[in-house]
Short mmCIF file of all heavy atoms in Angstrom, two decimals:
data_model
loop_
_atom_site.label_atom_id
_atom_site.label_comp_id
_atom_site.label_asym_id
_atom_site.label_seq_id
_atom_site.Cartn_x
_atom_site.Cartn_y
_atom_site.Cartn_z
N GLN W 200 -12.81 1.91 -0.68
CA GLN W 200 -14.06 1.26 -0.32
C GLN W 200 -13.84 -0.15 0.22
O GLN W 200 -14.52 -0.60 1.11
CB GLN W 200 -15.03 1.21 -1.52
CG GLN W 200 -16.42 0.79 -1.16
CD GLN W 200 -17.09 1.73 -0.15
OE1 GLN W 200 -17.06 2.95 -0.32
NE2 GLN W 200 -17.64 1.21 0.93
N ALA W 201 -12.83 -0.83 -0.33
CA ALA W 201 -12.49 -2.18 0.17
C ALA W 201 -12.04 -2.12 1.63
O ALA W 201 -12.41 -3.01 2.42
CB ALA W 201 -11.41 -2.81 -0.72
N VAL W 202 -11.33 -1.09 2.01
CA VAL W 202 -10.93 -0.89 3.40
C VAL W 202 -12.17 -0.62 4.27
O VAL W 202 -12.38 -1.24 5.32
CB VAL W 202 -9.90 0.23 3.57
CG1 VAL W 202 -9.69 0.60 5.05
CG2 VAL W 202 -8.56 -0.15 2.93
N LYS W 203 -13.02 0.30 3.80
CA LYS W 203 -14.24 0.62 4.54
C LYS W 203 -15.14 -0.59 4.74
O LYS W 203 -15.77 -0.72 5.79
CB LYS W 203 -15.02 1.72 3.80
CG LYS W 203 -14.37 3.08 3.86
CD LYS W 203 -15.15 4.13 3.07
CE LYS W 203 -14.44 5.49 3.10
NZ LYS W 203 -15.14 6.48 2.27
N ASP W 204 -15.16 -1.47 3.75
CA ASP W 204 -15.99 -2.68 3.83
C ASP W 204 -15.32 -3.84 4.55
O ASP W 204 -15.88 -4.92 4.66
CB ASP W 204 -16.41 -3.14 2.43
CG ASP W 204 -17.38 -2.16 1.77
OD1 ASP W 204 -17.85 -1.21 2.45
OD2 ASP W 204 -17.66 -2.33 0.56
N GLY W 205 -14.09 -3.63 5.03
CA GLY W 205 -13.39 -4.66 5.77
C GLY W 205 -12.80 -5.77 4.94
O GLY W 205 -12.47 -6.84 5.47
N LEU W 206 -12.65 -5.54 3.63
CA LEU W 206 -12.08 -6.58 2.78
C LEU W 206 -10.56 -6.62 2.84
O LEU W 206 -9.93 -7.63 2.51
CB LEU W 206 -12.51 -6.30 1.33
CG LEU W 206 -14.00 -6.32 1.06
CD1 LEU W 206 -14.28 -5.92 -0.38
CD2 LEU W 206 -14.58 -7.70 1.33
N ILE W 207 -9.98 -5.49 3.29
CA ILE W 207 -8.51 -5.36 3.38
C ILE W 207 -8.22 -4.30 4.42
O ILE W 207 -9.02 -3.40 4.64
CB ILE W 207 -7.91 -5.01 1.99
CG1 ILE W 207 -6.38 -5.11 2.00
CG2 ILE W 207 -8.40 -3.65 1.49
CD1 ILE W 207 -5.75 -5.01 0.61
N LYS W 208 -7.07 -4.43 5.06
CA LYS W 208 -6.66 -3.42 6.06
C LYS W 208 -5.65 -2.46 5.44
O LYS W 208 -4.93 -2.81 4.52
CB LYS W 208 -6.01 -4.10 7.26
CG LYS W 208 -6.96 -5.04 8.03
CD LYS W 208 -6.29 -5.70 9.20
CE LYS W 208 -5.30 -6.69 8.65
NZ LYS W 208 -4.79 -7.66 9.56
N GLU W 209 -5.63 -1.24 5.98
CA GLU W 209 -4.65 -0.27 5.50
C GLU W 209 -3.23 -0.81 5.64
O GLU W 209 -2.38 -0.57 4.75
CB GLU W 209 -4.78 1.04 6.25
CG GLU W 209 -5.97 1.86 5.83
CD GLU W 209 -6.03 3.23 6.50
OE1 GLU W 209 -4.99 3.88 6.57
OE2 GLU W 209 -7.11 3.59 6.96
N SER W 210 -2.97 -1.56 6.68
CA SER W 210 -1.62 -2.12 6.89
C SER W 210 -1.27 -3.08 5.78
O SER W 210 -0.08 -3.24 5.44
CB SER W 210 -1.53 -2.75 8.27
OG SER W 210 -2.47 -3.83 8.38
N ASP W 211 -2.26 -3.77 5.19
CA ASP W 211 -1.99 -4.66 4.05
C ASP W 211 -1.58 -3.84 2.83
O ASP W 211 -0.68 -4.23 2.08
CB ASP W 211 -3.23 -5.50 3.71
CG ASP W 211 -3.65 -6.43 4.84
OD1 ASP W 211 -2.76 -7.03 5.47
OD2 ASP W 211 -4.86 -6.58 5.04
N ILE W 212 -2.26 -2.71 2.63
CA ILE W 212 -1.94 -1.83 1.51
C ILE W 212 -0.56 -1.20 1.72
O ILE W 212 0.18 -1.00 0.76
CB ILE W 212 -3.04 -0.77 1.33
CG1 ILE W 212 -4.38 -1.44 1.02
CG2 ILE W 212 -2.67 0.23 0.25
CD1 ILE W 212 -5.58 -0.51 1.08
N ASP W 213 -0.21 -0.92 2.97
CA ASP W 213 1.09 -0.33 3.27
C ASP W 213 2.25 -1.19 2.75
O ASP W 213 3.29 -0.67 2.38
CB ASP W 213 1.25 -0.13 4.78
CG ASP W 213 0.41 1.02 5.32
OD1 ASP W 213 -0.10 1.82 4.50
OD2 ASP W 213 0.24 1.09 6.55
N VAL W 214 2.06 -2.52 2.76
CA VAL W 214 3.12 -3.41 2.25
C VAL W 214 3.41 -3.09 0.78
O VAL W 214 4.55 -2.94 0.38
CB VAL W 214 2.73 -4.89 2.42
CG1 VAL W 214 3.74 -5.82 1.77
CG2 VAL W 214 2.57 -5.23 3.90
N SER W 215 2.33 -2.95 -0.01
CA SER W 215 2.50 -2.64 -1.41
C SER W 215 3.03 -1.21 -1.62
O SER W 215 3.86 -0.95 -2.47
CB SER W 215 1.16 -2.79 -2.17
OG SER W 215 0.86 -4.16 -2.27
N ILE W 216 2.54 -0.27 -0.81
CA ILE W 216 3.00 1.11 -0.92
C ILE W 216 4.50 1.21 -0.60
O ILE W 216 5.23 1.92 -1.30
CB ILE W 216 2.18 2.04 -0.02
CG1 ILE W 216 0.76 2.17 -0.58
CG2 ILE W 216 2.83 3.40 0.12
CD1 ILE W 216 -0.21 2.91 0.31
N THR W 217 4.94 0.45 0.36
CA THR W 217 6.37 0.45 0.72
C THR W 217 7.19 -0.04 -0.46
O THR W 217 8.23 0.56 -0.80
CB THR W 217 6.63 -0.40 1.98
OG1 THR W 217 5.89 0.15 3.05
CG2 THR W 217 8.09 -0.46 2.32
N ARG W 218 6.76 -1.12 -1.09
CA ARG W 218 7.50 -1.63 -2.27
C ARG W 218 7.48 -0.62 -3.41
O ARG W 218 8.48 -0.40 -4.10
CB ARG W 218 6.95 -2.96 -2.71
CG ARG W 218 7.32 -4.13 -1.78
CD ARG W 218 7.02 -5.48 -2.37
NE ARG W 218 5.63 -5.84 -2.36
CZ ARG W 218 5.07 -6.75 -1.58
NH1 ARG W 218 5.81 -7.41 -0.69
NH2 ARG W 218 3.81 -7.02 -1.65
N LEU W 219 6.33 -0.01 -3.63
CA LEU W 219 6.18 0.99 -4.72
C LEU W 219 7.08 2.22 -4.45
O LEU W 219 7.82 2.66 -5.34
CB LEU W 219 4.75 1.42 -4.83
CG LEU W 219 4.46 2.57 -5.83
CD1 LEU W 219 4.87 2.17 -7.24
CD2 LEU W 219 3.00 2.96 -5.78
N MET W 220 7.02 2.74 -3.24
CA MET W 220 7.81 3.93 -2.95
C MET W 220 9.32 3.62 -2.97
O MET W 220 10.12 4.45 -3.37
CB MET W 220 7.38 4.56 -1.63
CG MET W 220 5.96 5.10 -1.66
SD MET W 220 5.61 6.25 -3.01
CE MET W 220 6.66 7.63 -2.56
N THR W 221 9.68 2.43 -2.51
CA THR W 221 11.08 2.03 -2.58
C THR W 221 11.57 2.05 -4.02
O THR W 221 12.65 2.59 -4.30
CB THR W 221 11.27 0.61 -1.97
OG1 THR W 221 10.91 0.65 -0.59
CG2 THR W 221 12.72 0.12 -2.10
N ALA W 222 10.76 1.49 -4.92
CA ALA W 222 11.12 1.49 -6.35
C ALA W 222 11.24 2.92 -6.89
O ALA W 222 12.18 3.25 -7.62
CB ALA W 222 10.09 0.71 -7.16
N ARG W 223 10.32 3.78 -6.50
CA ARG W 223 10.34 5.17 -6.99
C ARG W 223 11.58 5.90 -6.48
O ARG W 223 12.20 6.66 -7.22
CB ARG W 223 9.05 5.88 -6.57
CG ARG W 223 7.83 5.30 -7.31
CD ARG W 223 6.58 6.05 -7.05
NE ARG W 223 6.69 7.33 -7.76
CZ ARG W 223 5.85 8.30 -7.65
NH1 ARG W 223 4.80 8.20 -6.85
NH2 ARG W 223 6.00 9.44 -8.32
N PHE W 224 11.94 5.67 -5.21
CA PHE W 224 13.15 6.31 -4.67
C PHE W 224 14.38 5.76 -5.37
O PHE W 224 15.31 6.51 -5.70
CB PHE W 224 13.26 6.11 -3.16
CG PHE W 224 12.52 7.17 -2.37
CD1 PHE W 224 11.26 6.92 -1.88
CD2 PHE W 224 13.11 8.41 -2.13
CE1 PHE W 224 10.58 7.90 -1.18
CE2 PHE W 224 12.43 9.41 -1.42
CZ PHE W 224 11.15 9.14 -0.92
N GLU W 225 14.45 4.43 -5.61
CA GLU W 225 15.59 3.82 -6.30
C GLU W 225 15.74 4.37 -7.71
O GLU W 225 16.86 4.49 -8.21
CB GLU W 225 15.46 2.31 -6.31
CG GLU W 225 15.69 1.67 -4.96
CD GLU W 225 15.44 0.18 -4.95
OE1 GLU W 225 14.89 -0.38 -5.97
OE2 GLU W 225 15.77 -0.48 -3.94
N LEU W 226 14.64 4.71 -8.34
CA LEU W 226 14.69 5.29 -9.69
C LEU W 226 15.12 6.75 -9.68
O LEU W 226 15.39 7.34 -10.70
CB LEU W 226 13.34 5.16 -10.39
CG LEU W 226 12.98 3.78 -10.90
CD1 LEU W 226 11.54 3.74 -11.31
CD2 LEU W 226 13.90 3.41 -12.06
#
């Protein structure tokens, strides 16, 4: 909903997802 309302962009979330997925792969 925050993306739909223009409070954040998907590309901003992608930064966090990249760090999260990197950690999961490293584990």
Side-chain angles (χ1 to χ4, degrees):
Q200 191 60 49
V202 169
K203 289 178 182 176
D204 291 352
L206 300 173
I207 191 169
K208 297 179 289 195
E209 285 185 45
S210 60
D211 297 321
I212 298 169
D213 288 345
V214 173
S215 288
I216 290 173
T217 299
R218 286 192 284 252
L219 174 61
M220 295 307 293
T221 298
R223 292 185 73 187
F224 274 97
E225 287 175 350
L226 284 170

